[in-house]
Structures are given as structure tokens and as C-alpha cells.
Amino acid sequence: MSFVSQFLKKKPDVLGTLEVSKKFMEHFPKKKTINKLLFDLNSRLTYKKLYPIYVGLYHGVPVPQQQKLLDGVKGSDLIVMRNVLEKVRNRTRYARPDMLKLEDKLLELAAELGNNDAIAILSFRSIRENMGTNSAAEANNEEVTIAKKLFKDLYNINHLLAIKLLGDLALEANNWEEALTFYNKYINIAVKDNGHLLTGNDDLTGEVYGKLGEIEFTYLANMTKAEEYWQKCLELTSVEDSVRWYFLAAQIYMSSEPLKSRILLEKAASQGFKESLTSLGFLEMNYFRDYGRAKEWFKLGMEVFELQSYIGFFDCCVKNEDWIAALKCLKSIEKIGTMESFGSDNTNKATVSNFMNSRAEFIDKVRLKSALV
């Protein structure tokens, strides 16, 4: 009898119905996926030990049973469990509310067991959520006061995640100079002179290198330094976890090394990074002159509502003198121009207007030629 079946039999009042258990089975990642991630994260405990904990916490087992489930488990083990779910969520780009609650439960329990990473995340979250409140209200908020103290203590002992989180906050506020200071401080602690990393921080260090590359690329226009940082980032992280930096690194090589750019963009596309589809289309069209392949990438981009892919597809059709397909695409673009938003693009009206003006000559030609076909 499975753990779930036993639990349902003994505690039907907690779960309520079998449907809840089925929901867990439907939403929880496959065993193979969990095992692979546990291995990647150097988990101290096996799937056999951790799976009942996932199930029990999801279904809200009473405290006595929870304590029994957590017997021999450390805060670091719960953080690994939480990181497994986070990685699955990031890779699938889909957040299920019930799985998010399970992540939070694991985080809270890890903090209760004294795990510094969990304390850093929860303290930082509390501080961040209360940013912008007036100083008097903040001073009277005991939770924020405690969170600030805990976070300051972690920063003062050079806790790596705390330092990295401060860099993230500064970068989100476009305070890239302050972010650079925090990220460099992280690297100075985490990476020794011989390039050796502190054990167990590869993913986090890779992410910091990725952010450093973004600063060099976006704010300092130092392509050489950005490339150096992104190379280190890609060496330390998997494709699934660094897809954004594969895409950004590809932009550096777009003109100088289009073949290299294509490889990086295809890796990003393989992980569902939709912006890479349009970039691949334009790369194939403008550099390799392979209009057929370009149209295929643009078609994929159109399927995920990338407006620039519609424009690229139109341009390809004009190059190929495929007037009927060009006309159909033109009508779709015109329709998009009447929408308040399209996909994640809230500037679609301006984009369509610019398209109509910049390609007026080709649009007239498409209308004329398609009428004669």
C-alpha cells in the first residue's frame, strides 16, 4: 500500500477526499525528474526518504506525523527539496499554486531548523514586500525589524546568498553600480585565485556571473567582458537554468560570428525561450539567406504570439515572392494593431504602426501582386 493510500485510510479528515491526492499525483514531477535533480543538487538523502515528506507536507499532516517524517532530516535537505521544485517550475515556466505553497512550506521548515539560506530568502522577502512603506509604519512592523536584523547578520558573516540577493535587488532598481559591488564581493568570496569554487555553489555562482555579464553588456557596453562572464556562467550552469544568458550571449556574436550565435540561440530555443525564435528567424534571413528555414523559425514565434515573428515572416514572404502568404500575414498584423495588447507586448499598436510606415512600398506591392495571383 502506498504512502498516500495509507495516509488516506488513517487520516481522511485531513485530506478530505481522494481527489486531493490525485491532484498531487498529477502536479508533482515524475520520479525520474526528481531523481535527476536530486543528483544534480548533491542531495544527501534519496528519493525514497524525501518523497513521503513531499506528500505529507502537501496534504498538511498533523504535527506529530510531520515530526516523524522529518526525523533525521536537516534544514539543508529541505532546501534541496525546495530547490528541486523551483527548478522544475523554472524549466516548465509554469507555477502551480499548490506546488508554490509546498515550496514555501519547505522553506519555512528549513528556516525553523536554522538553515541560513532559508533565513536569508524569507528575511529578504519580508524586507522587499515592505519596501516603499513609510518609515514609521516600518519601524512598528516587528516582522520587518527582525528580518532586517537577521539579514544584516547574514551579510556581516559574508553569507553568499544574502550578498547575491542584495545585488539582485540593486539591479532590479537599475542601480547597476551598487549591484556590481555586491556581485564582485560575492565572486571575491566564492572564487579563489586559482578559479576553484566553494563547494556546492556552482549554480549560484553561475547566476552571479550571468548577472555580471548583463551589467557589462547593458550598462557598460563592454562586449569582451560580458563574453568572459557569460562563458563562465554557461560552464557552471545547465542549459535549462541559463537559457536567458545563452540568448544574450548570442547577441554578441550576431554580426561577428553568426554560426556561433545560431548554436547559442538554438540551445535557448530548445528550452522554450520564445525570444530566441524571432532572433533565429532574422539570423537565418539576414545572414544565411535561408528564407525557408527563417520562415520555420518565424512560424514557431508566431505560435507563441511574438509580434516581431509576424513581421519577420512577412519580410521572408516578400523575399520569396510568396504574395498570398504575405497578404495573409499582413492581415494578421493589421488585426494585431487593433488589439490593446498582444502576447506580452503592450506596445503592439506602435510596433504595427511603425511596420506599416516603414514597409509601405512592400505592402502596396503585396496587395497588388496577390490580387493578380
Side-chain angles (χ1 to χ4, degrees), residues 265-284:
L265 286 171
E266 287 179 347
K267 285 188 176 181
S270 71
Q271 300 303 317
F273 197 77
K274 64 180 184 179
E275 291 86 347
S276 62
L277 302 174
T278 299
S279 292
L280 275 165
F282 281 114
L283 188 66
E284 294 291 352

Side-chain angles (χ1 to χ4, degrees), residues 58-100:
Y58 179 91
H59 293 112
V61 294
V63 173
Q65 286 179 276
Q66 180 176 297
Q67 290 175 341
K68 187 175 180 180
L69 282 173
L70 296 177
D71 184 40
V73 175
K74 299 178 180 179
S76 57
D77 300 319
L78 297 174
I79 281 293
V80 168
M81 293 174 68
R82 182 253 185 186
N83 289 346
V84 165
L85 296 180
E86 183 183 46
K87 282 184 176 292
V88 171
R89 170 166 53 83
N90 289 339
R91 292 176 184 183
T92 59
R93 290 174 176 78
Y94 186 75
R96 297 184 183 277
D98 53 342
M99 288 294 132
L100 285 174

Side-chain angles (χ1 to χ4, degrees), residues 66 105 107-115 118-119:
Q66 180 176 297
K105 184 63 177 177
L107 194 61
E108 289 164 6
L109 286 173
E112 288 175 15
L113 292 176
N115 181 268
I119 293 170

Side-chain angles (χ1 to χ4, degrees), residues 167-202:
D168 292 347
L169 185 63
L171 190 58
E172 286 173 15
N174 291 320
N175 190 344
W176 63 268
E177 291 175 312
E178 188 174 87
L180 193 61
T181 299
F182 286 124
Y183 290 143
N184 281 329
K185 176 173 179 149
Y186 176 101
I187 295 298
N188 289 336
I189 296 169
V191 183
K192 296 180 180 179
D193 292 338
N194 60 3
H196 179 71
L197 304 179
L198 291 180
T199 305
N201 290 293
D202 287 18

Side-chain angles (χ1 to χ4, degrees), residues 187-308:
I187 295 298
N188 289 336
I189 296 169
V191 183
K192 296 180 180 179
D193 292 338
N194 60 3
H196 179 71
L197 304 179
L198 291 180
T199 305
N201 290 293
D202 287 18
D203 282 348
L204 198 61
T205 304
E207 190 175 342
V208 170
Y209 276 128
K211 299 280 188 177
L212 283 167
E214 286 190 44
I215 291 172
E216 295 291 345
F217 182 79
T218 307
Y219 296 99
L220 300 173
N222 189 335
M223 300 300 110
T224 302
K225 199 68 177 175
E227 179 183 8
E228 177 188 328
Y229 283 136
W230 280 333
Q231 282 180 344
K232 291 178 179 179
C233 167
L234 302 185
E235 287 171 4
L236 293 170
T237 55
S238 63
V239 178
E240 299 95 328
D241 295 328
S242 55
V243 60
R244 171 177 168 76
W245 295 303
Y246 271 92
F247 173 76
L248 290 175
Q251 310 310 306
I252 295 176
Y253 306 113
M254 194 71 78
S255 299
S256 59
E257 299 181 65
L259 280 172
K260 193 170 186 177
S261 182
R262 175 199 272 171
I263 292 170
L264 292 168
L265 286 171
E266 287 179 347
K267 285 188 176 181
S270 71
Q271 300 303 317
F273 197 77
K274 64 180 184 179
E275 291 86 347
S276 62
L277 302 174
T278 299
S279 292
L280 275 165
F282 281 114
L283 188 66
E284 294 291 352
M285 180 174 68
N286 295 326
Y287 289 97
F288 297 108
R289 305 285 190 250
D290 189 336
Y291 302 118
R293 191 165 180 172
K295 284 173 73 174
E296 291 306 311
W297 285 118
F298 287 135
K299 282 181 183 178
L300 290 173
M302 290 158 66
E303 289 176 8
V304 293
F305 311 111
E306 281 288 288
L307 178 52
Q308 289 297 329

